[in-house]
Amino acid sequence: MFNFFPHIYFGPDSLSRFDGAIKFEWILTNGLGGYASSTVLNVNTRKFHGLLFVAFNPPVNRHLLLSKVDEEVWVGKNRYPLGSNQFRDVIYPEGYHRLKGFEMNPFPTFYYQVEGIFLKKEVFMPHQKNVIVIIYDVFNSLKEAAELRIYPLINMRHFYRTTRRGDFQVSKEKIMGGVLFKFFPKTGFLLISSTAGSYVDCGDIWIEKIYFRKDDSRGENCFDDCLQPGFFSLDLNPKEKTRFYLAAFGGIKKERILSAYLQLGRKDALEKLFSEEMKRQERLLKNFYGRRQIKRGDWLSWLLLAADSFIVWRKWTGKKSIIAGYHWFEDWGRDALISLPGLTLITGRFKDAEEMLLTFVEYCKDGLVPSRFPEETEGKPEYSSVDASLWFLNAVLQYLKYTGNFDFVRKNLWDTMQDICEHYIHGTRFGIHMDRDGLIVHGPRLTWMDASVNGVPVTPREGKAVEIQALWYNALKIMEILSLEFHSENQAIKYHNLASHAKKSFNEKFWNGEYLYDVIHEEQGDPSFRPNQIIAICLDFPILETSRMESVVETVQNRLLTPYGLRTLAPDDSRYVGIYSGSFSLRDSAYHNGTVWAWLLGPFITAFLKTRGYGDYWRRFALERFLKPLFQVEPYRAGLGSLSEIFDGDPPHLPRGCISQAWSVAEPLRAYVEDVLFERAPFEKKVLRLSEKSNNA
């Protein structure tokens, strides 16, 4: 079983170079919005690092309950710390020097050595449970006994905040094998137990001003205080091997935590839990490879496991959703719908895709699907996006291409799809409406380039943005073919005529010689050279005339392409910012003005190969020139096993933003399977043939 998983390993040479090793991060998720994450040195560098983050309102309202656990070994009167924490001017203790190896296969595992004692520490997070489990394997090769102490550092804070001493208090209740902590004034519970040894209460010791270097570099709160309430003590007998489990259960309901502990807290139950999670992840890989003749590779397996990490259960709807990125993003409409094909359809998770689509149907309002769901149960969704509804229609088409399930669409989605189009035609919120030229007009901060500084949009795109028109035309063609399939010929004719009018206007107004204007506003074209124009080619129903496609693709390739994605603005533009760093305002100014986005590689590769007829040579070319750096380098240099959100526009294009981003994984992965490997959706020809039928009607 274990040989099936991908593998990442760091040896003692790499780990001994602190400033280099501290940049590598790992993350585990539980499908509820909760997660565990840190660095390969077990030194937290962000407020978003910790061993147990629990989503109090899954998958959002995430709170840190357990920051980390630090170990130390006692041999006689000699103390050997294994853990480390960074303070402003010092690393203390320097236990990372005793870290001799780190690997992921697929879970993070740490190998320590001190004197003649060897300690292996493996961390895993069970699916759909607010639990973190550490498996310890210890061998005492000495002729004398030793003692292992494990110190939990507990916390209680929202994951965007930091703690100051006294922000929370705890009461303690000893239970068999561990201790239950009740936090107040904010309610929460944390139960930590060990299958061996005993818990020693040493009062409330605050570890103050733990320093987060990543947050400091981003101009954010960078000091945190944690409570060290005691430790677990375990005797290590001479020449003996010991295997035991440390588990932490978190949440806001005491009775649920106690129930979970009674069910899962025993050694045999935790062993079973570990085996079940290994088998679950193994099934994810086998289900993908088993349905295709695709060669298994470590980087591809990592991306498939990463794809699973974004799919979460939303308590509010009782259905599946998609987390936009870890550590700090939530489930957003645009991100979810762009990511849906790559995360659920090429991986065969059609039931998950259906649940996501049904969620957007349930909360569609005035023709708009939610751009963001709230943190609190009683909150209301936000509807501040012009493109999310159009990406919804595209996601329905992709679903049909993979399932052929027209009955599901007609019964559950069709009314909403028609409602969206009618509102876009006649007008809805934020000034969104169809103009006389058949194109969609919208406000300044409604596209995916929505960053702002002090409430002022950094890239105001008021008017008619190029990708919105492409998505609108694609939506009209989808509605045309489905109207015909659902026996509404008059409606099909209506959508056909609207699509033809929009396409004619688009090609008259957006063409700028060799590329497309980014926005048309008051009949004036914005010549800013941005990647949004590639959407006019990559969709199933491209709005751009075929004769102009190759010019756009080549110009985008020459001016925007980097090894990790497309820049958001050409470097020769005076507004270009090549480094994404500094304060919030500085980063937001760079976000869409030169910063590289990995997700755009998906649409780019689709467009590139579409213009070259998907020939064998060009598919190999796309893999070698466009995808290999992202796929075969990036999973091993930042967020291990996943793909970062963004990269600097300037070489060496350092990874920035989230260490694991849904659409960064989803879109390049989709393009790799569908376009490079040419593993097309099974019902694609049948569905798209409806367009030919419509044109002949």
Side-chain angles (χ1 to χ4, degrees):
M1 176 172 67
F2 302 115
N3 291 334
F4 200 80
F5 290 110
H7 185 260
I8 295 174
Y9 179 78
F10 292 86
D13 288 346
S14 299
L15 296 171
S16 65
R17 295 189 285 270
F18 185 90
D19 287 338
I22 198 68
K23 297 176 183 177
F24 298 103
E25 303 175 59
W26 56 266
I27 186 165
L28 301 172
T29 63
N30 67 357
L32 296 172
Y35 68 86
S37 182
S38 187
T39 64
V40 300
L41 296 180
N42 258 333
V43 176
N44 294 340
T45 61
R46 306 177 186 267
K47 66 176 72 71
F48 303 105
H49 280 162
L51 263 184
L52 184 60
F53 284 92
V54 173
F56 285 176
N57 179 30
V60 295
N61 198 12
R62 285 168 275 189
H63 281 70
L64 174 66
L65 300 180
L66 179 61
S67 293
K68 61 184 309 197
V69 297
D70 285 336
E71 300 82 12
E72 64 182 22
V73 173
W74 286 76
V75 181
K77 294 183 179 180
N78 295 321
R79 169 179 168 268
Y80 301 93
L82 305 184
S84 299
N85 292 292
Q86 183 165 14
F87 301 90
R88 168 67 83 175
D89 300 314
V90 66
I91 309 295
Y92 181 81
E94 295 186 342
Y96 73 92
H97 287 307
R98 300 183 176 94
L99 180 63
K100 304 304 179 183
F102 171 89
E103 70 176 341
M104 287 184 65
N105 186 35
F107 308 131
T109 305
F110 307 83
Y111 297 91
Y112 293 92
Q113 181 180 345
V114 51
E115 295 291 330
I117 296 173
F118 301 84
L119 184 144
K120 175 186 175 184
K121 172 182 178 180
E122 185 169 13
V123 184
F124 81 96
M125 185 168 244
H127 192 59
Q128 298 282 303
K129 293 177 174 60
N130 288 316
V131 182
I132 190 70
V133 182
I134 304 175
I135 307 171
Y136 287 97
D137 286 291
V138 188
F139 172 49
N140 179 7
S141 70
L142 302 174
K143 294 181 180 180
E144 60 179 311
E147 180 190 5
L148 173 65
R149 295 183 180 181
I150 303 173
Y151 293 86
L153 272 64
I154 68 175
N155 212 319
M156 165 51 96
R157 59 173 172 81
H158 189 275
F159 75 155
Y160 273 122
R161 300 199 171 105
T162 54
T163 294
R164 291 293 172 266
R165 177 174 182 157
D167 282 354
F168 67 85
Q169 294 177 299
V170 294
S171 63
K172 308 168 191 176
E173 179 183 342
K174 272 202 170 185
I175 58 171
M176 185 67 67
V179 59
L180 175 68
F181 301 98
K182 177 183 179 181
F183 295 93
F184 56 93
K186 181 179 286 188
T187 302
F189 295 88
L190 175 68
L191 192 160
I192 308 176
S193 67
S194 175
T195 60
S198 60
Y199 178 75
V200 179
D201 191 331
C202 58
D204 291 345
I205 299 174
W206 283 88
I207 310 298
E208 299 182 57
K209 293 187 180 295
I210 294 173
Y211 172 67
F212 299 140
R213 56 164 55 192
K214 281 282 189 179
D215 292 333
D216 191 14
S217 71
R218 292 165 58 89
E220 302 175 17
N221 294 335
C222 60
F223 292 103
D224 200 34
D225 297 346
C226 295
L227 184 65
Q228 187 185 88
F231 61 90
F232 290 87
S233 174
L234 177 69
D235 291 331
L236 305 175
N237 296 323
K239 302 295 182 181
E240 281 192 6
K241 299 175 183 176
T242 305
R243 181 180 176 91
F244 67 99
Y245 294 76
L246 187 82
F249 304 76
I252 55 176
K253 299 286 187 181
K254 178 180 178 179
E255 59 273 16
R256 289 186 182 178
I257 291 176
L258 290 173
S259 175
Y261 170 68
L262 291 173
Q263 179 185 0
L264 303 171
R266 304 180 316 277
K267 184 176 181 180
D268 61 335
L270 293 170
E271 287 175 347
K272 182 180 179 183
L273 206 59
F274 175 77
S275 178
E276 288 174 348
E277 182 58 19
M278 291 289 282
K279 290 177 180 177
R280 189 190 74 84
Q281 296 207 21
E282 185 182 39
R283 283 195 302 271
L284 292 173
L285 299 178
K286 287 187 173 180
N287 287 343
F288 177 83
Y289 290 118
R291 292 186 297 110
R292 297 177 171 88
Q293 297 300 315
I294 296 179
K295 183 179 179 181
R296 182 163 58 92
D298 267 17
W299 62 265
L300 180 54
S301 294
W302 280 126
L303 296 185
L304 294 169
L305 294 177
D308 172 69
S309 72
F310 303 110
I311 298 175
V312 295
W313 178 75
R314 172 168 272 282
K315 179 181 178 181
W316 188 29
T317 61
K319 298 181 178 69
K320 293 293 179 65
S321 186
I322 291 175
I323 288 287
Y326 295 103
H327 301 93
W328 50 82
F329 287 134
E330 296 150 346
D331 49 342
W332 293 355
R334 174 190 298 116
D335 298 60
L337 292 163
I338 291 175
S339 301
L340 184 148
L343 300 186
T344 67
L345 299 181
I346 69 164
T347 57
R349 301 176 69 154
F350 305 135
K351 179 69 164 57
D352 291 342
E354 290 172 359
E355 288 189 15
M356 295 169 190
L357 293 172
L358 288 172
T359 294
F360 286 108
V361 165
E362 184 176 354
Y363 291 96
C364 185
K365 188 173 183 180
D366 299 329
L368 300 176
V369 301
S371 55
R372 183 175 178 270
F373 289 99
E375 280 224 337
E376 304 300 335
T377 303
E378 63 274 12
K380 296 181 180 179
E382 296 178 11
Y383 295 88
S384 56
S385 168
V386 63
D387 55 337
S389 297
L390 303 179
W391 282 115
F392 171 81
L393 295 175
N394 184 68
V396 174
L397 177 65
Q398 305 314 309
Y399 167 81
L400 284 172
K401 286 163 56 179
Y402 274 88
T403 67
N405 193 347
F406 286 93
D407 288 342
F408 174 81
V409 173
R410 180 169 48 198
K411 179 181 178 181
N412 299 288
L413 312 180
W414 183 233
D415 287 346
T416 299
M417 296 171 73
Q418 294 177 90
D419 183 64
I420 289 171
C421 287
E422 289 305 304
H423 274 92
Y424 272 61
I425 291 169
H426 299 293
T428 184
R429 303 184 191 185
F430 310 110
I432 298 170
H433 68 278
M434 187 180 72
D435 205 354
R436 287 178 297 178
D437 57 8
L439 302 177
I440 296 298
V441 179
H442 55 82
R445 199 186 162 197
L446 300 176
T447 72
W448 80 282
M449 290 187 166
D450 56 0
S452 67
V453 175
N454 298 322
V456 179
V458 176
T459 51
R461 304 180 70 222
E462 184 176 8
K464 303 169 184 176
V466 61
E467 79 277 14
I468 304 306
Q469 315 315 316
L471 286 163
W472 174 236
Y473 174 79
N474 187 64
L476 292 171
K477 296 298 291 183
I478 293 168
M479 298 301 293
E480 177 188 343
I481 64 173
L482 290 185
S483 294
L484 205 59
E485 175 70 14
F486 298 153
H487 308 293
S488 181
E489 294 187 7
N490 289 337
Q491 189 167 265
I493 293 171
K494 167 189 170 182
Y495 288 125
H496 175 84
N497 291 336
L498 288 173
S500 297
H501 183 38
K503 185 170 187 175
K504 181 176 183 295
S505 297
F506 179 89
N507 283 278
E508 288 175 352
K509 296 184 176 186
F510 275 85
W511 185 242
N512 189 27
E514 60 179 10
Y515 67 94
L516 297 173
Y517 288 117
D518 189 58
V519 181
I520 300 291
H521 181 48
E522 296 179 350
E523 299 305 313
Q524 295 295 314
D526 176 4
S528 301
F529 195 80
R530 299 186 182 277
N532 305 302
Q533 58 193 297
I534 210 73
I535 306 298
I537 302 171
C538 72
L539 299 171
D540 285 290
F541 300 106
I543 192 172
L544 184 62
E545 291 179 0
T546 304
S547 61
R548 295 171 171 174
M549 291 182 180
E550 190 169 347
S551 174
V552 170
V553 170
E554 288 184 352
T555 311
V556 168
Q557 179 181 343
N558 292 334
R559 300 182 66 184
L560 300 180
L561 182 66
T562 75
Y564 302 106
L566 300 185
R567 294 184 180 96
T568 40
L569 186 64
D572 58 3
D573 193 297
S574 62
R575 297 164 295 171
Y576 173 81
V577 183
I579 304 295
Y580 179 88
S581 65
S583 65
F584 279 112
S585 60
L586 288 175
R587 297 199 312 273
D588 281 343
S589 296
Y591 210 35
H592 300 115
N593 280 325
T595 297
V596 171
W597 291 73
W599 82 268
L600 293 167
L601 263 186
F604 173 76
I605 288 169
T606 300
F608 176 87
L609 290 175
K610 182 180 287 189
T611 61
R612 285 158 175 80
Y614 295 97
D616 290 346
Y617 170 83
W618 292 114
R619 290 191 286 116
R620 289 194 302 271
F621 183 93
L623 174 61
E624 293 169 359
R625 303 298 180 90
F626 305 149
L627 279 176
K628 274 193 174 181
L630 183 69
F631 283 169
Q632 298 188 17
V633 175
E634 175 57 18
Y636 305 93
R637 71 170 189 154
L640 297 177
S642 192
L643 301 178
S644 298
E645 176 194 4
I646 52 178
F647 303 81
D648 286 340
D650 288 349
H653 309 294
L654 294 177
R656 306 284 188 177
C658 282
I659 66 168
S660 185
Q661 189 79 358
W663 59 10
S664 293
V665 172
E667 265 302 285
L669 182 59
R670 176 204 59 77
Y672 172 70
V673 173
E674 292 183 346
D675 301 317
V676 173
L677 298 181
F678 212 58
E679 291 273 348
R680 309 301 288 186
F683 296 94
E684 179 180 49
K685 290 183 179 179
K686 176 184 177 181
V687 172
L688 297 185
R689 194 176 293 131
L690 295 174
S691 180
E692 299 174 8
K693 180 180 177 182
S694 175
N695 290 332
N696 294 328

